[in-house]
C-alpha cells in the first residue's frame, strides 16, 4: 500500500522542461539553471516526501537566487573598514581601472620591446618605477605578499637551510593563514628565536649558524603588543646580518608609503624606503592594502637579490598577469605624481564633508517607520594594518520600528547592490567614509525600499 502511494507520487515528478517553463527568465547561463533543476528533481526522487509543484518551483527559485548572490559583484561598503579583505581590499583609482580596460581589450607590449621588435621584459617600466618609489636598487612583483614570502624563503633556504624568525612575529594573517605555516608548507625550516613578547638582538645573534639562510622580520601588522615587550631594532638586525653575511628580509605587509597624517599620531607603518635605508636587503608588501592597488606582492631591495629571485623557476609560477600589471603600473605612477589613490583619499575626507552628506541623506529618509540619526563612526583601516588607529567618522544610524536591526541588515544585504553595514549597541550603522558619495542615492533608495515593505 505504502509503496503504491510512493510510486504514484514519484511518477508525478515533473519533467525538466516543465520546471524551466514555469521559472521564466533568469539572468544565469541556461546550462547552470538546467543543472540546478536536475539536481533538485533528483533529490525529490530520493526523498520520501514529494512536494507539490509550486513548492518545488519555490525551492528552485530560492536556490537560483542564492546562486546568483554568490556571483562576484559590487557591494556598498558601509562598514567603515577601508581595507576590508572580505570586500575586496583596496578600491582602484579610475586611472587603474582605465588601464585595465585598455590592456584587457587590446594586444599590448607585454613582452615586446617595441623599439627593437624583439622580445622585451615583462613589467620593466613598472619595476623601474616601483624601485624609484621605494628608493630601492630594484623591484619586482608576484601574485601577492604570501607568494613573495614563499619565493624568497624557498630561494634562499631550500634545500635544508634555516630562516631565523622571532616567536613574536609568527603572525596569523586573515582567513586562518599563518606566516609560519605558509613558510613551512613551502618546505622551509624555521628557526624560531626569542619569546612571544621579547626577542633581543642577542637572540638572533646566538641562533646564527652555518645553516642560516636568512633573517626574516615580519611586521606585526594586524596586532600590537604592550607591556613587558622588547624587539630588536630593524637597523640592529640589518647590521648583524651584514656582519655575518646573511640576507635580511622584512615582510612589511601593508605597503604604506608614508605617514598618513590624519592617523599618524596613533601609530605609523614602517615604509619600504625607510626599512631599506635601515639596512634591509629586501622588503615585501601587499599591493592591495595601503598601497591601494590590485592584489600583488611587491618585492624591493638589492638588485642582485631581485635579479636572482626573478631567475628562480618558482617566479614563473607566481608571476602577475597583464591586468594586474596594468593596474599596478597606474597605481605606482599615481603615487609618484601625488595623484588620487582611493584607499588613501577615503581616509582624508573631512568630517564636515561627511556630516553634510549625512544631513542630506537623513532629510531624504524622513517619514520612514524607523529612528534615523546621524551617528559617530569609528573607521578602522583594516586589512591587517594599523590595528590601533581609529579614524573618527560619520554614520547613518537606524533602528527600525517594525522589525529588528538584524532583519534590517539582512534586507540591505539583499538589496541590489548589497549594502553592508554593521550593528553596534542595538543600532544598525552605515559609515559614510567607506561609501563613495556617488552611491548616496543608491543608499537612500535602498533604505526607503526595505523600510516600507
Ligand atoms: C597581509 C599580510 C601578508 C599577506 O599578504 P597578501 O598580499 O594578502 O598575500 C603577509 N604578511 C603580512 C605582515 C601581512 O600583513
Amino acid at each position: 500500500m505504502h509503496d503504491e502511494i510512493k510510486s504514484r507520487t514519484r511518477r508525478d515528478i515533473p519533467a525538466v522542461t516543465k520546471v524551466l517553463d514555469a521559472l521564466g527568465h533568469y539572468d544565469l547561463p541556461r546550462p547552470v539553471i538546467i543543472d540546478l533543476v536536475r539536481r533538485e528533481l533528483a533529490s525529490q526522487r530520493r526523498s520520501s516526501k514529494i512536494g507539490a509543484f509550486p513548492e518545488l518551483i519555490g525551492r528552485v527559485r530560492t536556490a537560483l537566487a542564492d546562486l546568483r548572490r554568490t556571483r562576484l559583484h559590487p557591494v556598498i561598503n558601509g562598514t567603515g573598514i577601508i581595507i576590508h579583505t572580505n570586500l575586496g581590499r583596496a578600491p582602484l583609482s579610475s586611472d587603474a581601472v582605465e588601464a585595465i580596460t585598455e590592456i584587457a581589450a587590446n594586444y599590448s607590449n607585454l613582452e615586446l620591446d617595441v623599439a627593437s621588435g624583439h622580445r622585451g621584459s615583462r613589467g620593466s617600466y613598472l619595476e623601474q618605477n616601483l624601485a624609484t618609489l621605494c628608493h630601492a636598487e630594484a623591484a619586482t612583483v608576484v601574485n601577492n605578499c604570501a607568494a613573495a614570502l614563499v619565493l624568497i624563503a624557498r630561494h634562499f633556504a631550500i634545500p635544508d637551510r634555516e630562516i631565523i624568525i622571532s616567536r613574536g612575529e609568527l603572525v596569523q594573517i586573515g582567513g586562518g593563514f599563518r606566516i609560519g605555516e605558509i613558510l613551512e608548507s613551502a618546505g622551509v625550516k624555521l628557526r624560531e628565536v626569542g619569546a612571544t613578547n621579547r626577542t633581543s638582538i642577542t637572540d638572533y645573534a646566538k641562533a646564527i649558524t652555518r645553516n642560516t639562510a636568512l633573517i626574516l622580520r615580519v611586521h606585526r601588522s594586524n596586532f600590537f603588543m604592550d607591556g613587558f615587550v622588547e624587539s630588536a631594532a630593524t637597523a640592529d638586525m640589518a647590521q648583524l646580518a651584514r656582519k655575518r653575511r646573511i640576507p635580511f628580509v622584512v615582510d612589511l605587509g601593508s605597503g604604506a608609503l608614508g605617514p598618513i597624517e590624519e592617523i599618524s599620531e596613533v601609530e605609523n607603518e614602517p615604509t619600504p624606503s625607510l626599512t631599506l635605508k635601515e639596512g634591509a636587503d629586501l622588503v615585501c608588501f601587499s599591493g592591495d592594502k595601503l598601497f591601494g592597488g590590485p592584489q600583488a606582492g611587491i618585492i624591493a631591495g638589492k638588485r642582485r637579490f631581485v635579479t636572482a629571485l626573478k631567475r628562480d623557476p618558482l617566479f614563473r609560477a607566481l608571476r602577475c598577469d597583464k591586468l594586474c600589471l596594468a593596474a599596478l603600473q597606474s597605481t605606482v605612477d599615481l603615487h609618484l605624481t601625488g595623484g588620487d589613490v582611493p584607499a588613501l583619499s577615503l581616509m582624508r575626507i573631512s568630517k564636515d564633508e561627511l556630516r553634510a552628506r549625512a544631513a542630506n541623506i537623513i532629510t531624504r529618509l524622513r517619514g520612514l517607520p524607523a529612528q534615523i540619526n546621524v551617528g559617530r563612526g569609528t573607521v578602522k583601516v583594516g586589512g591587517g594594518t594599523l590595528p590601533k588607529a581609529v579614524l573618527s567618522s560619520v554614520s547613518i544610524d537606524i533602528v527600525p520600528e517594525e522589525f529588528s536591526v538584524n532583519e534590517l541588515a539582512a534586507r540591505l544585504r539583499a538589496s541590489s547592490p548589497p549594502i553592508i553595514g554593521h550593528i553596534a549597541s542595538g543600532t544598525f550603522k552605515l559609515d559614510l567614509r567607506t561609501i563613495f558619495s556617488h552611491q548616496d542615492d543608491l543608499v537612500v533608495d535602498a533604505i526607503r525600499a526595505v523600510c516600507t515593505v
Side-chain angles (χ1 to χ4, degrees):
M1 186 64 194
H2 181 69
D3 269 346
E4 212 182 291
I5 293 172
K6 216 161 143 187
S7 64
R8 198 179 60 210
T9 23
R10 277 206 185 144
R11 270 200 305 278
D12 284 345
I13 290 176
V16 173
T17 46
K18 192 178 163 203
V19 177
L20 290 175
D21 286 346
L23 284 173
H25 178 75
Y26 268 84
D27 60 347
L28 284 168
R30 201 164 161 80
V32 170
I33 301 176
I34 294 175
D35 225 39
L36 196 141
V37 170
R38 285 220 173 98
R39 259 179 281 149
E40 188 55 48
L41 294 179
S43 92
Q44 286 270 298
R45 237 167 259 127
R46 282 193 305 271
S47 128
S48 50
K49 278 196 305 213
I50 292 166
F53 187 68
E55 224 175 87
L56 169 75
I57 296 296
R59 262 205 310 280
V60 173
R61 282 195 196 286
T62 308
L64 285 170
D66 287 349
L67 179 65
R68 202 166 42 186
R69 264 196 288 278
T70 61
R71 210 160 181 250
L72 191 58
H73 59 268
V75 305
I76 293 178
N77 176 10
T79 64
I81 298 169
I82 293 175
I83 310 292
H84 198 308
T85 300
N86 300 157
L87 304 185
R89 291 198 183 161
L92 293 180
S93 65
S94 52
D95 279 19
V97 173
E98 263 168 51
I100 290 178
T101 313
E102 216 171 36
I103 295 303
N106 292 286
Y107 293 104
S108 63
N109 64 340
L110 183 63
E111 287 186 6
L112 178 77
D113 174 20
V114 282
S116 66
H118 298 310
R119 191 191 168 111
S121 138
R122 175 183 272 257
S124 55
Y125 174 91
L126 165 66
E127 289 182 343
Q128 194 168 326
N129 288 12
L130 258 178
T132 303
L133 188 61
C134 299
H135 301 105
E137 286 176 17
T140 192
V141 192
V142 289
N143 270 324
N144 51 39
C145 189
L149 271 176
V150 167
L151 174 67
I152 293 168
R154 283 191 59 97
H155 179 78
F156 289 104
I158 290 294
D160 53 8
R161 304 179 68 214
E162 292 174 342
I163 294 180
I164 299 180
I165 184 170
S166 158
R167 291 197 172 88
E169 295 177 3
L170 291 164
V171 178
Q172 174 159 336
I173 52 177
F177 290 106
R178 296 175 172 158
I179 299 279
E181 288 172 2
I182 293 173
L183 293 173
E184 281 173 339
S185 77
V188 171
K189 272 189 243 153
L190 296 184
R191 175 73 203 275
E192 298 170 14
V193 298
T196 304
N197 54 337
R198 294 180 78 96
T199 305
S200 68
I201 192 70
T202 329
D203 291 321
Y204 286 102
K206 280 195 304 202
I208 296 174
T209 67
R210 272 196 329 212
N211 246 356
T212 304
L214 66 87
I215 299 177
L216 177 65
R217 151 155 270 181
V218 177
H219 176 53
R220 290 184 197 128
S221 48
N222 54 6
F223 71 108
F224 50 90
M225 292 204 293
D226 212 347
F228 188 54
V229 295
E230 176 188 358
S231 51
T234 298
D236 292 342
M237 292 174 71
Q239 196 183 24
L240 171 70
R242 199 163 48 241
K243 212 166 72 192
R244 307 292 293 268
R245 296 173 176 277
I246 296 161
F248 173 44
V249 178
V250 181
D251 170 14
L252 292 170
S254 90
L257 291 173
I260 295 145
E261 54 272 22
E262 284 75 9
I263 46 182
S264 63
E265 279 169 33
V266 188
E267 60 182 324
N268 251 316
E269 297 275 295
T271 65
S273 57
L274 180 64
T275 310
L276 290 170
K277 198 168 148 209
E278 287 180 321
D281 294 304
L282 288 173
V283 295
C284 59
F285 54 93
S286 289
D288 55 355
K289 291 182 181 170
L290 286 176
F291 198 75
Q295 177 187 305
I298 297 162
I299 302 170
K302 293 260 163 63
R303 181 180 307 280
R304 68 190 162 95
F305 289 135
V306 172
T307 307
L309 287 172
K310 288 185 68 180
R311 287 207 192 102
D312 193 299
L314 186 58
F315 181 81
R316 176 62 182 78
L318 304 175
R319 81 176 183 193
C320 297
D321 82 306
K322 60 184 180 180
L323 302 184
C324 168
L325 295 177
L328 197 55
Q329 172 179 286
S330 292
T331 309
V332 170
D333 283 2
L334 276 179
H335 282 301
L336 287 169
T337 54
D340 208 14
V341 177
L344 300 175
S345 26
L346 286 176
M347 286 187 236
R348 302 198 163 112
I349 303 174
S350 74
K351 268 178 81 180
D352 285 346
E353 189 181 331
L354 296 177
R355 273 194 215 102
R357 280 172 53 200
N360 182 273
I361 291 173
I362 299 263
T363 313
R364 294 166 66 193
L365 293 176
R366 269 202 203 120
L368 291 178
Q371 295 164 33
I372 305 180
N373 296 299
V374 178
R376 263 203 306 208
T378 45
V379 160
K380 299 283 286 175
V381 179
T385 58
L386 300 163
K388 270 193 279 192
V390 177
L391 258 169
S392 73
S393 187
V394 174
S395 61
I396 304 291
D397 293 4
I398 311 177
V399 180
E401 280 159 13
E402 289 160 13
F403 48 89
S404 70
V405 283
N406 283 311
E407 172 65 18
L408 175 65
R411 289 185 186 185
L412 285 172
R413 283 200 309 276
S415 297
S416 177
I419 298 174
I420 317 296
H422 65 111
I423 293 168
S425 13
T427 303
F428 177 79
K429 292 169 91 75
L430 285 176
D431 199 302
L432 289 184
R433 190 176 289 281
T434 46
I435 296 177
F436 296 106
S437 57
H438 66 80
Q439 296 173 325
D440 286 358
D441 289 347
L442 287 170
V443 170
V444 168
D445 292 348
I447 294 172
R448 293 204 71 91
V450 304
C451 283
T452 43
V453 282

